């Protein structure tokens, strides 16, 4: 659609302006101990200690929220609406009605608080993404009277949030992706301000291709994806290691998307304004 094509091309090139907050890692140590009585082969015993590993994820980079956030920074603010705290994003809520069509998708995000250390228990995550046709609810032609594919969940004690949605399309000029914001608490999130992290999730190529081939509603996505790559994308082009999701499942059943997210100190997201990048 025309709105997705605005400002694309050379003007979309985004220099690497991210504030990378650090990559922290720790690995456990393997130990093997064996004891054997001399001359007594039948009585030999061996004790093996299992290897353990604990890894702290890299900090997810701050990214643009794009022109369709619905968080009050550019037009409507869905975060202050009753009903936004939900796990199923496929339907519109409140004053709107409608259901987003597409291949079913579950989204599981595991948050690590890199400032306090440990799981991001109690943090709130706002997720939004485009529909099967590449449109954003509340903004795009044909879905301004919808608010589906937007919602908030609060992380459990393990820092996990889960959503049910549909697999997003690939629209012109962008690699298939999901937007999210992390807030320190639900109270902060539903106030619609002070997100600690604004970032995006990249979806693997093979998973995208299988979805787009399985559902005719994604017809434009195959063509759009052939014209972009992760390295040429104006958001992921300067690195996507901390943003590339793991996907399992099949289009015939459901696609399961998961990502572990390191949440660093608060910093300003890259400007999105009313123009791409999206």
């Amino acid at each position: 659609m025309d709105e997705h094509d605005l400002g694309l091309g050379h003007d979309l090139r985004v220099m690497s302006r991210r504030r990378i907050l650090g990559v922290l890692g720790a690995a456990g140590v393997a130990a093997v101990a064996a004891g054997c009585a001399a001359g007594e082969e039948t009585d030999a015993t061996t004790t093996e200690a299992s290897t353990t590993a604990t890894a702290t994820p890299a900090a997810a980079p701050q990214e643009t929220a794009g022109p369709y956030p619905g968080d009050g920074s550019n037009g409507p603010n869905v975060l202050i609406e009753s009903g936004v705290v939900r796990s199923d994003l496929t339907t519109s809520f409140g004053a709107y009605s409608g259901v987003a069509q597409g291949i079913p998708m579950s989204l599981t995000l595991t948050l690590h608080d890199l400032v306090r250390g440990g799981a991001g228990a109690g943090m709130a995550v706002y997720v939004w993404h485009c529909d099967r046709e590449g449109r954003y609810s509340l903004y795009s032609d044909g879905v301004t009277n919808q608010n589906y594919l937007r919602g908030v969940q609060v992380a459990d004690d393990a820092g996990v949030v889960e959503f049910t949605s549909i697999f997003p399309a690939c629209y012109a000029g962008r690699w298939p992706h999901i937007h999210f914001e992390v807030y320190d608490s639900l109270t902060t999130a539903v106030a619609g301000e002070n997100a600690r992290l604004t970032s995006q999730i990249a979806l693997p190529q093979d998973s995208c291709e299988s979805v787009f081939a399985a559902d005719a509603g994604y017809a434009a996505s195959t063509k759009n994806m052939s014209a972009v790559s992760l390295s040429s994308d104006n958001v992921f082009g300067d690195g996507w290691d901390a943003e590339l999701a793991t996907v399992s499942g099949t289009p015939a059943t459901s696609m399961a998307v998961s990502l572990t997210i390191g949440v660093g100190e608060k910093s300003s997201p890259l400007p999105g304004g009313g123009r791409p990048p999206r």
Side-chain angles (χ1 to χ4, degrees):
M1 288 172 288
D2 291 340
E3 68 181 304
H4 290 152
D5 294 333
L6 293 177
L8 294 175
H10 291 293
D11 293 336
L12 283 179
R13 295 175 181 170
V14 175
M15 299 301 292
S16 178
R17 298 173 293 165
R18 299 175 180 175
R19 177 177 296 181
I20 301 300
L21 300 175
V23 179
L24 303 173
V29 179
V32 177
C36 182
E40 299 180 2
E41 294 181 359
T42 57
D43 295 331
T45 60
T46 301
T47 302
E48 295 184 356
S50 61
T51 300
T52 60
T54 302
T56 301
Q62 294 280 353
E63 301 285 16
T64 175
Y68 314 120
D71 62 358
S73 63
N74 181 31
N77 190 350
V78 74
L79 292 173
I80 62 175
E81 299 294 332
S82 176
V84 72
V85 181
R86 64 207 188 118
S87 60
D88 187 349
L89 310 183
T90 57
T91 61
S92 290
F93 64 94
Y96 300 109
S97 63
V99 180
Q101 301 299 315
I103 297 295
M105 176 188 75
S106 64
L107 175 63
T108 302
L109 304 178
T110 303
L111 307 179
H112 283 255
D113 190 334
L114 301 181
V115 176
R116 298 181 179 88
M123 287 181 163
V125 181
Y126 168 43
V127 164
W128 73 99
H129 61 81
C130 71
D131 65 12
R132 183 174 63 176
E133 289 77 26
R135 305 171 300 183
Y136 284 88
S137 65
L138 298 174
Y139 293 89
S140 301
D141 289 344
V143 290
T144 55
N145 62 343
Q146 302 289 344
N147 57 12
Y148 56 45
L149 309 183
R150 300 177 184 275
V152 174
Q153 280 286 278
V154 178
D156 63 16
D157 289 345
V160 176
V161 295
E162 297 179 329
F163 296 91
T164 300
S165 192
I166 59 102
F167 203 89
C170 178
Y171 53 80
R174 280 303 317 275
W175 187 262
H177 62 282
I178 298 170
H179 293 264
F180 70 94
E181 291 176 341
V182 179
Y183 294 81
D184 282 323
S185 67
L186 178 60
T187 300
T188 305
V190 297
E193 56 187 16
N194 295 322
R196 182 158 148 193
L197 171 66
T198 300
S199 196
Q200 300 185 26
I201 301 167
L203 299 172
Q205 181 173 350
D206 57 348
S207 300
C208 295
E209 290 175 342
S210 66
V211 167
F212 302 157
D215 186 333
Y218 292 93
S221 292
T222 299
K223 178 181 178 181
N224 291 334
M225 194 167 174
S226 68
V228 68
S229 67
L230 275 168
S231 59
S232 69
D233 184 75
N234 56 65
V235 170
F236 303 123
D238 59 355
W240 57 83
D241 287 351
E243 298 169 289
L244 185 62
T246 298
V247 181
S248 60
T250 68
T253 54
S254 178
M255 306 299 288
V257 179
S258 62
L259 182 66
T260 298
I261 299 170
V263 185
E265 294 182 4
K266 179 180 178 181
S267 61
S268 299
L270 300 181
R275 302 179 296 110
R278 295 176 293 279

